[in-house]
């Protein structure tokens, strides 16, 4: 591997992603400043199209129904007036809309560091780390390998370090070297001590959900009443498309709903496989699967904070493999955004790709996915950094490359770029240069040159000769070197020693009790 090019050291930025830091930083990054989407959303559907997809979703719920593979959820829905036939649940559109209207159009999530509070909904645009791949790839290994706790911890450190990552999703790689019964305890301990951003819980059984809620409560130094008073964390559940919700995810969904924590429901509707081959049909099915879960949450706790996610894409009809960042994926995301605004619900989408390594395909597919999120009015972007192979691989190089794109999106949303005051129209500057000369040396430029344009931390803007003279380092190689430097200099955010000890004691006790039951 070529030597790394010399990089300027920053005097600002953040210690492990904090708003201020002592000493030097590996990179000069933008400060913590979750962007607000100032653009009008892209709306491919006319009013009649929105109504058609809405009607399709309602008819699915009224005429076909969704299976709820959880007896407690079935009993709740039956008591509320839904039609139950075995595990199949049907509900009328007036009933659905009555409960959808109970959900807030936006809500806040407050982690252990209140300055990292985020608001889901409105025009807020938030990015989260890659979550849940079972495998890991980096340039040093050069091949795909199962995830470990060390790999997971390093990706958690990147999650904390980068200010453009606003919430900590699920495990950034599954640490398969930890037994499934205690994996959640170790990883949540790592997440809560290495980051101070919003936490996520997998809805994979009662013990895991209850453990995570308790650990988040302890880490925040909160009483049970304080924890329940406002959302401190969230879960994301996926329906089992087509038209099913499984037992453990519904169990976690209901537990978090009762305690007023954040809820995201994301059907995994791949057109041509688990949903109709037509994108409008896939979106209608996705919305039906999501809205019935929203209804359940509102029955349990009216006003429960809920967001609707979209994972509607298509498959490669030659192989059946999932495809991401496609034109169809982009349009499905935009259409779902229109329907989320129709229902008055916050939206989640993803920064995804099908590429196997951090190459050109990885970046154009992910960029398509991310800009579809922007265009759709998405509020939460899952997997915004680090995702490869359709979610089967997490990569630190890809994480860092994606963060360059995320920073550019954040800068793109800075209203100052489009300001039109006298200083921005700059007539005096234009007059001073006139028909000859240049703008490099004039005072107007000198006063603004350090902040006028986006400054990349990873892109290389030298010409070919300059790039070659510096070692000819390709982008993934630069990202790998940067990854190593970030990890070696990482400093965890502060935590009260007594709270850390209480967290550690909780983990030790729950491990002694056997952790969460498993099937093996």
């Amino acid at each position: 591997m070529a030597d790394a090019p010399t990089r300027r050291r920053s005097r600002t930025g953040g210690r492990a992603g904090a708003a201020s830091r002592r000493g030097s930083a590996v990179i000069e990054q933008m400060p913590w400043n979750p962007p607000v989407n100032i653009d009008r959303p892209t709306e491919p559907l006319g009013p009649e199209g929105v109504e058609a997809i809405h009607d399709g979703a309602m008819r699915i719920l009224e005429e076909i129904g969704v299976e709820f593979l959880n007896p407690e959820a079935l009993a709740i829905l039956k008591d509320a007036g839904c039609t139950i036939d075995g595990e199949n649940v049907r509900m009328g559109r007036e009933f659905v809309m009555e409960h959808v209207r109970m959900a807030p159009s936006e809500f806040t999530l407050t982690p252990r560091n209140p300055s990292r509070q985020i608001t889901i909904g409105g025009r807020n645009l938030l990015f989260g780390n890659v979550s849940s791949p079972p495998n890991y790839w980096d340039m040093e290994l050069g091949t795909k390998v199962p995830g470990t706790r060390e790999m997971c911890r390093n990706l958690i450190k990147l999650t904390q370090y980068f200010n453009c990552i606003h919430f900590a999703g699920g495990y950034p790689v599954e640490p398969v070297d930890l037994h499934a019964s205690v994996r959640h305890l170790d990883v949540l301990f790592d997440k809560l001590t290495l980051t101070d951003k919003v936490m996520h819980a997998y809805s994979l059984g009662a013990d895991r959900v209850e453990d995570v809620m308790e650990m988040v409560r302890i880490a925040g130094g909160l009483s049970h009443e304080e924890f329940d008073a406002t959302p401190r964390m969230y879960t994301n559940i996926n329906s089992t498309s087509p038209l099913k919700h499984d037992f453990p995810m519904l169990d976690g969904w209901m537990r978090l709903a009762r305690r007023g924590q954040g809820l995201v429901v994301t059907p995994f509707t791949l057109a041509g496989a688990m949903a109709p081959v037509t994108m409008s049909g896939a979106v209608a099915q996705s919305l039906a699967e999501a809205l019935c879960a929203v209804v359940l949450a509102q029955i349990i706790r009216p006003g429960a904070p809920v967001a609707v996610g979209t994972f509607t894409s298509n498959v490669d009809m030659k192989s059946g493999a999932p495809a991401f960042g496609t034109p169809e994926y982009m349009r499905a995301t935009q259409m779902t955004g229109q329907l989320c605004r129709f229902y008055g619900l916050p939206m989640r989408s993803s920064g995804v790709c099908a590429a196997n390594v951090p190459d050109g395909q990885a970046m154009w597919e992910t960029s398509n996915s991310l800009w579809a999120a922007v265009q759709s009015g998405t509020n939460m972007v899952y997997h915004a950094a680090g995702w490869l192979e359709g979610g089967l691989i997490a990569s630190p190089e890809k994480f860092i490359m994606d963060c360059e794109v995320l920073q550019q999106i954040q800068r793109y949303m800075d209203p100052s770029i489009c300001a039109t005051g006298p200083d921005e129209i700059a007539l005096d500057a234009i007059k001073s240069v006139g028909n000859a000369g240049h703008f490099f040396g004039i005072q107007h430029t000198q006063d603004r040159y350090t902040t006028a344009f986006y400054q990349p931390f990873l892109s290389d803007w030298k010409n070919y000769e300059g790039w070659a003279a510096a070692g000819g380092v390709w982008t993934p190689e630069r990202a790998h070197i940067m990854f190593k430097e970030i990890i070696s200099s990482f400093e965890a955010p502060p935590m009260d020693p007594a709270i850390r000890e209480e967290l550690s004691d909780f983990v030790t006790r729950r491990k002694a009790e056997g952790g969460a039951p498993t099937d093996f």
Side-chain angles (χ1 to χ4, degrees):
M1 182 179 298
D3 291 336
T6 302
R7 283 189 296 277
R8 181 175 54 179
R9 299 286 174 166
S10 171
R11 291 172 297 180
T12 61
R15 176 177 59 79
S20 61
R21 71 163 284 142
R22 301 180 299 274
S24 62
V26 173
I27 64 169
E28 187 172 355
Q29 62 173 314
M30 296 172 70
W32 168 271
N33 185 27
V36 173
N37 192 335
I38 63 174
D39 286 0
R40 294 188 184 94
T42 299
E43 299 194 331
L45 300 171
E48 70 286 348
V50 172
E51 182 57 38
I53 291 179
H54 166 65
D55 182 65
M58 294 301 104
R59 290 189 62 185
I60 291 168
L61 293 174
E62 290 173 329
E63 301 172 19
I64 303 171
V66 176
E67 291 188 6
F68 280 70
L69 309 182
N70 184 297
E72 183 184 1
L74 286 170
I76 291 169
L77 292 166
K78 182 178 182 179
D79 289 345
C82 297
T83 301
I84 310 296
D85 181 7
E87 293 175 325
N88 182 272
V89 179
R90 289 182 285 117
M91 54 187 72
R93 66 183 64 202
E94 292 81 9
F95 175 85
V96 173
M97 294 304 292
E98 174 189 351
H99 286 84
V100 167
R101 284 190 289 269
M102 294 178 184
S105 59
E106 61 180 62
F107 56 90
T108 59
L109 297 173
T110 306
R112 70 178 181 89
N113 179 356
S115 68
R116 301 292 200 183
Q117 183 185 80
I118 55 177
T119 300
I120 313 298
R123 289 181 169 271
N124 297 293
L125 177 59
L126 303 162
F127 302 120
N129 59 316
V130 61
S131 302
S132 308
N135 301 303
Y136 175 94
W137 184 99
D138 69 26
M139 292 198 73
E140 187 172 326
L141 292 169
T143 189
K144 178 172 76 172
V145 298
T148 66
R149 185 178 187 181
E150 180 184 5
M151 295 167 184
C152 186
R153 283 172 57 88
N154 286 342
L155 290 167
I156 291 169
K157 291 174 183 179
L158 293 183
T159 298
Q160 174 66 13
Y161 182 87
F162 280 97
N163 293 325
C164 59
I165 301 297
H166 306 116
F167 59 92
Y171 311 160
V173 69
E174 195 80 22
V176 297
D177 57 335
L178 299 175
H179 193 273
S181 62
V182 297
R183 186 178 301 164
H184 66 291
L185 297 168
D186 286 332
V187 177
L188 260 294
F189 181 83
D190 291 343
K191 288 176 71 175
L192 286 166
T193 54
L194 294 174
T195 80
D196 58 5
K197 298 179 181 179
V198 165
M199 287 290 115
H200 160 275
Y202 286 110
S203 287
L204 296 174
D207 295 85
R208 291 179 178 85
V209 166
E210 295 293 344
D211 284 345
V212 172
M213 285 195 288
E214 182 64 4
M215 291 177 73
V216 171
R217 184 193 70 80
I218 292 169
L222 305 166
S223 67
H224 289 284
E225 293 75 19
E226 289 171 329
F227 178 85
D228 293 351
T230 189
R232 305 283 181 174
M233 54 172 287
Y234 72 100
T235 191
N236 175 88
I237 68 167
N238 304 110
S239 52
T240 306
S241 303
L243 304 178
K244 290 185 181 71
H245 282 286
D246 70 19
F247 181 93
M249 290 206 172
L250 285 173
D251 181 82
W253 182 260
M254 293 185 290
R255 289 175 186 275
L256 266 75
R258 291 189 185 95
R259 299 194 69 178
Q261 301 305 303
L263 302 164
V264 184
V265 53
T266 309
F268 190 9
T269 44
L270 287 177
M274 292 102 80
V277 73
T278 52
M279 300 314 294
S280 293
V283 169
Q285 179 186 309
S286 174
L287 288 166
E289 294 176 9
L291 292 174
C292 60
V294 172
V295 169
L296 175 61
Q298 300 309 314
I299 293 170
I300 292 171
R301 181 166 176 154
V306 181
V308 166
T310 176
F311 217 81
T312 300
S313 191
N314 57 288
V315 296
D316 177 1
M317 297 305 289
K318 298 176 182 177
S319 67
F324 298 103
T326 64
E328 293 81 11
Y329 174 93
M330 296 178 74
R331 284 305 194 192
T333 303
Q334 294 162 3
M335 288 191 286
T336 304
Q338 285 189 260
L339 271 295
C340 283
R341 288 187 291 280
F342 176 83
Y343 297 122
L345 295 172
M347 178 180 167
R348 170 238 149 144
S349 64
S350 300
V352 287
C353 68
N356 298 306
V357 293
D359 59 7
Q361 177 188 336
M363 297 315 296
W364 74 60
E365 290 178 349
T366 302
S367 186
N368 284 349
S369 301
L370 291 172
W371 282 105
V374 172
Q375 294 164 347
S376 69
T378 288
N379 303 115
M380 298 181 78
V381 184
Y382 264 53
H383 314 300
W387 164 295
L388 286 172
E389 202 200 357
L392 296 178
I393 296 176
S395 162
E397 293 88 358
K398 176 66 163 37
F399 195 114
I400 291 172
M401 292 162 71
D402 288 336
C403 283
E404 181 78 277
V405 179
L406 299 182
Q407 281 211 154
Q408 292 186 31
I409 292 173
Q410 181 171 318
R411 171 60 178 168
Y412 175 85
M413 291 301 171
D414 188 336
S416 69
I417 296 175
C418 302
T420 56
D423 286 346
E424 288 75 31
I425 301 299
L427 284 178
D428 289 341
I430 296 169
K431 287 177 184 177
S432 71
V433 174
N435 303 102
H438 57 75
F439 288 82
F440 281 116
I442 67 170
Q443 193 61 46
H444 185 271
T445 302
Q446 293 298 308
D447 291 343
R448 295 163 177 79
Y449 79 94
T450 58
T451 58
F453 309 126
Y454 175 75
Q455 291 296 311
F457 64 83
L458 183 63
S459 297
D460 189 332
W461 287 355
K462 294 186 290 293
N463 63 16
Y464 181 87
E465 288 74 18
W467 170 78
V473 184
W474 287 45
T475 305
E477 294 177 291
R478 294 197 301 274
H480 179 78
I481 295 164
M482 193 174 291
F483 161 61
K484 292 293 188 180
E485 292 180 358
I486 290 171
I487 296 306
S488 67
S489 63
F490 181 85
E491 298 176 46
M495 173 178 273
D496 185 300
I499 288 177
R500 186 184 179 95
E501 183 178 358
E502 186 178 358
L503 265 181
S504 181
D505 290 345
F506 177 84
V507 170
T508 300
R509 176 173 64 80
R510 288 292 295 123
K511 283 184 175 182
E513 294 169 351
T518 64
D519 295 329
F520 51 93

